């Protein structure tokens, strides 16, 4: 059996710090009660939003959807939920 030189210490050093980690998955209700800036700030900090849409999606998301898209984020409406991801995290809908 050959020695392939696996250096676990070096590999651990290459792992991202907790500060570089991806944000949280935030569950919420999109009903107009939460300020649009709160949703924008959450996505900017790396969070993924899964929002239960309680009303007209176009009206409820109008205050933040364009800004999130302009910054490179993604939005997808799926089965009554709006899924919002930060830049660099795409929503894969190929299996739908």
């Amino acid at each position: 059996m050959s020695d392939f030189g696996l250096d676990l210490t070096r590999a651990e050093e290459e792992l991202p710090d907790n500060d570089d980690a991806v944000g949280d998955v935030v569950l919420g209700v999109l009903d107009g009660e939460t300020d649009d800036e709160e949703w924008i700030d959450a996505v900017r900090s790396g969070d993924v939003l899964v929002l239960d849409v309680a009303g007209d999606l176009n009206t409820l998301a109008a205050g933040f959807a364009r800004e999130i898209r302009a910054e490179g984020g993604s939005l997808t409406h799926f089965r009554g939920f709006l899924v919002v991801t930060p830049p660099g995290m795409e929503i894969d809908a190929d299996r739908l």
Side-chain angles (χ1 to χ4, degrees):
M1 193 162 162
S2 67
D3 181 18
F4 54 89
L6 179 60
D7 182 356
L8 294 178
T9 304
R10 177 78 175 123
E12 186 174 317
E13 291 172 2
E14 295 298 322
L15 293 174
D17 294 332
N18 285 341
D19 295 339
D20 297 335
V22 177
D24 297 322
V25 174
V26 177
L27 303 179
V29 178
L30 184 60
D31 58 4
E33 297 282 324
T34 303
D35 185 56
D36 293 328
E37 279 302 313
E38 191 172 327
W39 299 132
I40 293 168
D41 290 343
V43 173
R44 281 182 180 151
S45 70
D47 292 342
V48 173
L49 307 178
V50 180
L51 306 174
D52 182 20
V53 179
D56 180 64
L57 174 61
N58 292 329
T59 301
L60 294 169
F64 64 88
R66 283 190 180 150
E67 187 163 346
I68 288 174
R69 279 198 183 113
E71 293 180 9
S74 298
L75 296 94
T76 299
H77 187 219
F78 176 68
R79 294 191 178 191
F81 293 91
L82 180 63
V83 181
V84 185
T85 60
M89 184 181 295
E90 297 302 316
I91 299 171
D92 182 355
D94 289 344
R95 297 181 186 198
L96 298 179

